[in-house]
Amino acid sequence: MPEPVTNKNAPIALLDSGAGGIGVLREVQKLLPREQLLYFGDSLHAPYGEKSTAEIRRLVLTAADRLLARAKALVLACNTATAVAAEQLRRRYPDRPIIGMEPALRPALSVGAHPTVLVLATAATLGQEKFARLRQKCEKSATVWALSAPGIVRLVEQGLADSPQMDAYLSTLFATLPTLPDAVVLGCTHFPFAQKSLRRVLGDLPFFDGAVGTAKELRRRLAAQHLLAPKDAAGSIMLRTSDPRSLPLFLRLYQQ
Ligand code: DGL
Protein backbone atom coordinates (compact mmCIF):
# COMPACT_ATOMS: atom_id res chain seq x y z
CA MET A 1 0.00 0.00 0.00
CA PRO A 2 1.39 3.48 -0.84
CA GLU A 3 2.83 5.54 2.04
CA PRO A 4 0.50 8.27 3.31
CA VAL A 5 1.79 11.74 2.38
CA THR A 6 1.64 13.82 5.55
CA ASN A 7 3.77 16.69 4.32
CA LYS A 8 1.70 19.89 4.30
CA ASN A 9 4.22 21.42 1.89
CA ALA A 10 3.69 18.79 -0.80
CA PRO A 11 1.80 19.92 -3.90
CA ILE A 12 -1.85 19.32 -4.73
CA ALA A 13 -2.26 17.63 -8.11
CA LEU A 14 -5.12 18.34 -10.50
CA LEU A 15 -5.86 15.99 -13.38
CA ASP A 16 -7.95 16.36 -16.52
CA SER A 17 -7.95 14.90 -20.02
CA GLY A 18 -6.72 18.25 -21.31
CA ALA A 19 -7.46 21.94 -20.83
CA GLY A 20 -10.89 21.66 -19.13
CA GLY A 21 -9.57 21.36 -15.59
CA ILE A 22 -7.83 24.74 -15.91
CA GLY A 23 -11.15 26.30 -14.83
CA VAL A 24 -11.03 24.20 -11.65
CA LEU A 25 -7.38 25.13 -11.15
CA ARG A 26 -8.35 28.81 -11.20
CA GLU A 27 -10.97 28.30 -8.48
CA VAL A 28 -8.60 26.24 -6.35
CA GLN A 29 -5.92 28.91 -6.70
CA LYS A 30 -8.38 31.64 -5.59
CA LEU A 31 -9.45 29.68 -2.53
CA LEU A 32 -6.06 28.21 -1.58
CA PRO A 33 -3.45 30.75 -2.75
CA ARG A 34 -0.74 29.32 -0.49
CA GLU A 35 -0.76 25.89 -2.05
CA GLN A 36 1.59 24.52 -4.68
CA LEU A 37 -0.67 23.40 -7.50
CA LEU A 38 0.51 20.87 -10.05
CA TYR A 39 -1.84 20.65 -13.04
CA PHE A 40 -1.64 17.76 -15.48
CA GLY A 41 -3.70 17.73 -18.68
CA ASP A 42 -3.48 14.50 -20.65
CA SER A 43 -3.92 16.31 -23.99
CA LEU A 44 -2.21 13.56 -25.94
CA HIS A 45 -5.14 11.28 -25.07
CA ALA A 46 -7.98 13.82 -25.08
CA PRO A 47 -10.87 13.49 -25.42
CA TYR A 48 -11.45 10.86 -22.74
CA GLY A 49 -15.21 11.02 -23.06
CA GLU A 50 -15.42 8.97 -26.24
CA LYS A 51 -13.08 6.19 -25.10
CA SER A 52 -14.10 2.91 -23.44
CA THR A 53 -14.40 2.78 -19.65
CA ALA A 54 -11.40 0.42 -19.46
CA GLU A 55 -9.20 2.73 -21.53
CA ILE A 56 -10.15 5.87 -19.58
CA ARG A 57 -9.56 4.04 -16.29
CA ARG A 58 -6.12 2.89 -17.43
CA LEU A 59 -5.14 6.43 -18.47
CA VAL A 60 -6.43 8.02 -15.27
CA LEU A 61 -4.84 5.46 -12.93
CA THR A 62 -1.48 5.75 -14.72
CA ALA A 63 -1.46 9.55 -14.49
CA ALA A 64 -2.78 9.55 -10.91
CA ASP A 65 -0.10 7.10 -9.70
CA ARG A 66 2.58 9.37 -11.10
CA LEU A 67 1.06 12.51 -9.58
CA LEU A 68 0.41 10.94 -6.18
CA ALA A 69 4.04 9.87 -5.89
CA ARG A 70 4.64 13.46 -4.74
CA ALA A 71 1.26 15.13 -4.22
CA LYS A 72 -0.56 15.22 -0.86
CA ALA A 73 -3.98 15.29 -2.58
CA LEU A 74 -5.50 14.78 -6.01
CA VAL A 75 -8.34 16.70 -7.64
CA LEU A 76 -9.96 14.84 -10.51
CA ALA A 77 -10.76 18.06 -12.39
CA CYS A 78 -12.73 15.97 -14.84
CA ASN A 79 -16.23 14.52 -14.48
CA THR A 80 -15.35 11.63 -16.80
CA ALA A 81 -12.23 10.59 -14.86
CA THR A 82 -14.23 10.78 -11.63
CA ALA A 83 -17.12 8.70 -12.95
CA VAL A 84 -14.77 6.02 -14.20
CA ALA A 85 -11.83 5.89 -11.78
CA ALA A 86 -12.51 7.74 -8.48
CA GLU A 87 -13.61 4.61 -6.61
CA GLN A 88 -10.50 2.64 -7.58
CA LEU A 89 -8.24 5.56 -6.69
CA ARG A 90 -9.83 5.98 -3.27
CA ARG A 91 -9.34 2.28 -2.58
CA ARG A 92 -5.72 2.48 -3.73
CA TYR A 93 -4.96 5.65 -1.71
CA PRO A 94 -7.26 5.45 1.33
CA ASP A 95 -5.31 8.11 3.30
CA ARG A 96 -5.06 10.70 0.54
CA PRO A 97 -7.78 13.27 -0.21
CA ILE A 98 -9.06 12.35 -3.71
CA ILE A 99 -11.60 14.98 -4.75
CA GLY A 100 -13.88 14.16 -7.64
CA MET A 101 -16.57 15.96 -9.63
CA GLU A 102 -20.05 15.04 -10.74
CA PRO A 103 -22.50 16.97 -12.94
CA ALA A 104 -23.93 19.75 -10.71
CA LEU A 105 -27.51 18.51 -11.00
CA ARG A 106 -28.23 18.75 -7.28
CA PRO A 107 -27.12 22.41 -7.08
CA ALA A 108 -29.22 23.19 -10.18
CA LEU A 109 -32.28 21.82 -8.41
CA SER A 110 -31.59 23.38 -5.03
CA VAL A 111 -31.29 26.96 -6.38
CA GLY A 112 -34.67 28.24 -7.59
CA ALA A 113 -37.34 26.35 -9.52
CA HIS A 114 -36.01 24.61 -12.62
CA PRO A 115 -38.67 22.18 -13.82
CA THR A 116 -36.55 21.12 -16.83
CA VAL A 117 -32.80 20.75 -16.55
CA LEU A 118 -30.45 19.92 -19.40
CA VAL A 119 -27.28 18.06 -18.40
CA LEU A 120 -24.38 18.32 -20.83
CA ALA A 121 -21.57 15.85 -20.19
CA THR A 122 -19.43 13.31 -22.01
CA ALA A 123 -20.86 10.04 -23.27
CA ALA A 124 -18.61 8.21 -20.78
CA THR A 125 -20.00 10.19 -17.81
CA LEU A 126 -23.61 9.79 -18.93
CA GLY A 127 -23.10 6.07 -19.53
CA GLN A 128 -21.98 5.28 -15.96
CA GLU A 129 -24.25 3.75 -13.34
CA LYS A 130 -23.28 6.65 -11.04
CA PHE A 131 -25.00 9.16 -13.34
CA ALA A 132 -28.06 6.93 -13.76
CA ARG A 133 -28.46 6.92 -9.96
CA LEU A 134 -28.03 10.70 -9.68
CA ARG A 135 -30.52 11.26 -12.49
CA GLN A 136 -33.06 8.92 -10.95
CA LYS A 137 -32.91 10.77 -7.61
CA CYS A 138 -33.26 14.17 -9.28
CA GLU A 139 -36.09 13.12 -11.57
CA LYS A 140 -38.36 13.17 -8.54
CA SER A 141 -38.23 16.98 -8.64
CA ALA A 142 -37.52 17.84 -12.30
CA THR A 143 -37.44 16.61 -15.86
CA VAL A 144 -33.82 15.83 -16.68
CA TRP A 145 -32.52 15.78 -20.24
CA ALA A 146 -28.99 14.59 -20.91
CA LEU A 147 -26.88 15.19 -24.00
CA SER A 148 -23.28 14.32 -24.74
CA ALA A 149 -21.38 17.07 -26.50
CA PRO A 150 -18.00 15.77 -27.71
CA GLY A 151 -17.70 18.65 -30.16
CA ILE A 152 -17.39 21.15 -27.31
CA VAL A 153 -14.39 19.27 -25.91
CA ARG A 154 -12.72 19.09 -29.32
CA LEU A 155 -13.28 22.77 -30.10
CA VAL A 156 -12.04 23.89 -26.65
CA GLU A 157 -8.91 21.75 -27.14
CA GLN A 158 -8.41 23.46 -30.51
CA GLY A 159 -8.62 26.90 -28.89
CA LEU A 160 -12.06 27.55 -30.46
CA ALA A 161 -14.16 27.83 -27.27
CA ASP A 162 -15.70 31.13 -28.36
CA SER A 163 -16.00 30.86 -32.14
CA PRO A 164 -18.43 30.61 -35.08
CA GLN A 165 -17.54 26.90 -35.25
CA MET A 166 -18.72 26.47 -31.65
CA ASP A 167 -21.95 28.40 -32.36
CA ALA A 168 -22.63 26.19 -35.40
CA TYR A 169 -21.94 22.98 -33.46
CA LEU A 170 -24.18 24.01 -30.56
CA SER A 171 -27.02 25.12 -32.85
CA THR A 172 -27.06 21.68 -34.47
CA LEU A 173 -26.78 19.90 -31.11
CA PHE A 174 -29.68 21.78 -29.52
CA ALA A 175 -31.92 21.55 -32.58
CA THR A 176 -33.02 18.16 -31.18
CA LEU A 177 -34.41 19.67 -27.95
CA PRO A 178 -38.23 19.90 -27.78
CA THR A 179 -38.06 23.29 -25.96
CA LEU A 180 -35.50 25.36 -24.11
CA PRO A 181 -34.62 24.00 -20.64
CA ASP A 182 -34.91 26.14 -17.48
CA ALA A 183 -31.31 25.48 -16.44
CA VAL A 184 -28.20 23.87 -17.91
CA VAL A 185 -25.67 21.75 -16.04
CA LEU A 186 -22.17 21.88 -17.52
CA GLY A 187 -21.12 18.38 -16.47
CA CYS A 188 -17.72 18.41 -18.14
CA THR A 189 -14.96 20.80 -17.12
CA HIS A 190 -14.31 21.82 -20.72
CA PHE A 191 -17.83 23.22 -21.12
CA PRO A 192 -17.67 26.42 -18.99
CA PHE A 193 -15.06 27.70 -21.44
CA ALA A 194 -17.78 27.64 -24.13
CA GLN A 195 -20.19 29.65 -22.01
CA LYS A 196 -20.27 32.71 -24.30
CA SER A 197 -21.20 30.54 -27.23
CA LEU A 198 -23.71 28.59 -25.11
CA ARG A 199 -25.41 31.86 -24.14
CA ARG A 200 -25.52 33.05 -27.72
CA VAL A 201 -27.26 29.84 -28.77
CA LEU A 202 -29.41 29.01 -25.71
CA GLY A 203 -30.02 32.50 -24.35
CA ASP A 204 -29.42 33.78 -20.85
CA LEU A 205 -30.22 30.61 -18.89
CA PRO A 206 -28.75 29.72 -15.50
CA PHE A 207 -25.67 27.54 -15.94
CA PHE A 208 -24.28 25.29 -13.19
CA ASP A 209 -20.84 23.74 -12.95
CA GLY A 210 -18.84 22.12 -10.19
CA ALA A 211 -15.59 24.13 -10.12
CA VAL A 212 -16.25 26.28 -7.03
CA GLY A 213 -17.85 23.39 -5.11
CA THR A 214 -14.84 21.21 -5.89
CA ALA A 215 -12.41 23.85 -4.62
CA LYS A 216 -14.42 24.18 -1.39
CA GLU A 217 -14.55 20.42 -0.91
CA LEU A 218 -10.78 20.25 -1.41
CA ARG A 219 -10.22 22.91 1.25
CA ARG A 220 -12.57 21.11 3.64
CA ARG A 221 -10.80 17.77 3.16
CA LEU A 222 -7.31 19.23 3.52
CA ALA A 223 -8.35 21.05 6.70
CA ALA A 224 -9.93 17.89 8.14
CA GLN A 225 -6.68 15.96 7.55
CA HIS A 226 -4.46 18.86 8.77
CA LEU A 227 -2.88 19.06 5.34
CA LEU A 228 -3.39 22.75 4.49
CA ALA A 229 -0.14 24.53 3.56
CA PRO A 230 1.36 26.62 6.39
CA LYS A 231 0.12 30.24 6.58
CA ASP A 232 3.49 31.64 5.50
CA ALA A 233 3.85 29.32 2.47
CA ALA A 234 4.20 30.85 -1.00
CA GLY A 235 1.79 29.31 -3.48
CA SER A 236 2.79 28.30 -6.98
CA ILE A 237 1.35 26.80 -10.14
CA MET A 238 2.99 24.26 -12.39
CA LEU A 239 1.34 23.30 -15.70
CA ARG A 240 2.17 19.91 -17.19
CA THR A 241 0.77 18.10 -20.22
CA SER A 242 1.39 14.88 -22.14
CA ASP A 243 1.39 17.01 -25.32
CA PRO A 244 3.55 20.14 -24.96
CA ARG A 245 1.72 21.74 -27.93
CA SER A 246 -1.16 22.33 -25.49
CA LEU A 247 0.79 24.51 -23.06
CA PRO A 248 0.01 27.86 -24.78
CA LEU A 249 -3.71 26.96 -24.63
CA PHE A 250 -3.47 26.05 -20.91
CA LEU A 251 -1.78 29.39 -20.21
CA ARG A 252 -4.32 31.36 -22.23
CA LEU A 253 -7.28 29.71 -20.49
CA TYR A 254 -5.65 30.18 -17.09
CA GLN A 255 -5.12 33.89 -17.73
CA GLN A 256 -8.60 34.47 -19.22
N1 DGL B 1 -13.08 17.48 -19.03
C1 DGL B 1 -13.60 16.18 -18.96
C2 DGL B 1 -14.84 16.10 -18.07
O1 DGL B 1 -15.00 16.89 -17.18
C3 DGL B 1 -13.68 15.30 -20.16
C4 DGL B 1 -13.48 15.79 -21.54
C5 DGL B 1 -13.03 14.70 -22.47
O2 DGL B 1 -11.84 14.45 -22.51
O3 DGL B 1 -13.88 14.08 -23.14
O4 DGL B 1 -15.65 15.22 -18.23
Side-chain angles (χ1 to χ4, degrees), residues 69-146:
R70 52 183 291 227
K72 62 184 175 185
L74 173 68
V75 178
L76 293 169
C78 175
N79 295 260
T80 307
T82 304
V84 168
E87 270 175 34
Q88 283 81 353
L89 278 169
R90 290 188 181 121
R91 272 201 300 274
R92 197 178 280 192
Y93 297 94
D95 299 315
R96 225 75 70 85
I98 310 275
I99 315 300
M101 302 184 75
E102 69 174 16
L105 194 46
R106 279 187 249 255
L109 294 179
S110 64
V111 180
H114 299 127
T116 305
V117 180
L118 170 64
V119 179
L120 297 174
T122 66
T125 299
L126 299 177
Q128 300 298 313
E129 185 58 36
K130 197 167 180 275
F131 179 74
R133 284 197 300 269
L134 175 68
R135 181 178 188 163
Q136 207 178 16
K137 271 187 209 136
C138 294
E139 269 175 341
K140 291 185 185 117
S141 42
T143 301
V144 178
W145 295 330

Side-chain angles (χ1 to χ4, degrees), residues 16-17 20 46-50 77-81 122 125 153 187-190:
D16 180 44
S17 62
Y48 279 0
E50 294 164 74
C78 175
N79 295 260
T80 307
T122 66
T125 299
V153 179
C188 165
T189 51
H190 282 73

Side-chain angles (χ1 to χ4, degrees), residues 14-19 22 25 37-43 66-67 70 237-244 246-247 250:
L14 293 96
L15 166 63
D16 180 44
S17 62
I22 296 282
L25 174 74
L37 304 177
L38 166 60
Y39 182 86
F40 177 69
D42 194 5
S43 308
R66 226 179 31 249
L67 292 166
R70 52 183 291 227
I237 289 185
M238 206 184 294
L239 299 176
R240 291 269 189 273
T241 166
S242 49
D243 182 351
S246 299
L247 266 185
F250 287 13

Side-chain angles (χ1 to χ4, degrees), residues 19 153-163 166 249 252-253:
V153 179
R154 288 184 190 280
L155 288 167
V156 170
E157 287 293 317
Q158 289 165 23
L160 296 170
D162 178 16
S163 66
M166 184 67 87
L249 174 69
R252 203 161 64 242
L253 294 179

Side-chain angles (χ1 to χ4, degrees), residues 17-34:
S17 62
I22 296 282
V24 183
L25 174 74
R26 285 199 311 219
E27 295 304 330
V28 169
Q29 208 270 335
K30 268 190 234 158
L31 206 62
L32 298 167
R34 298 187 199 297

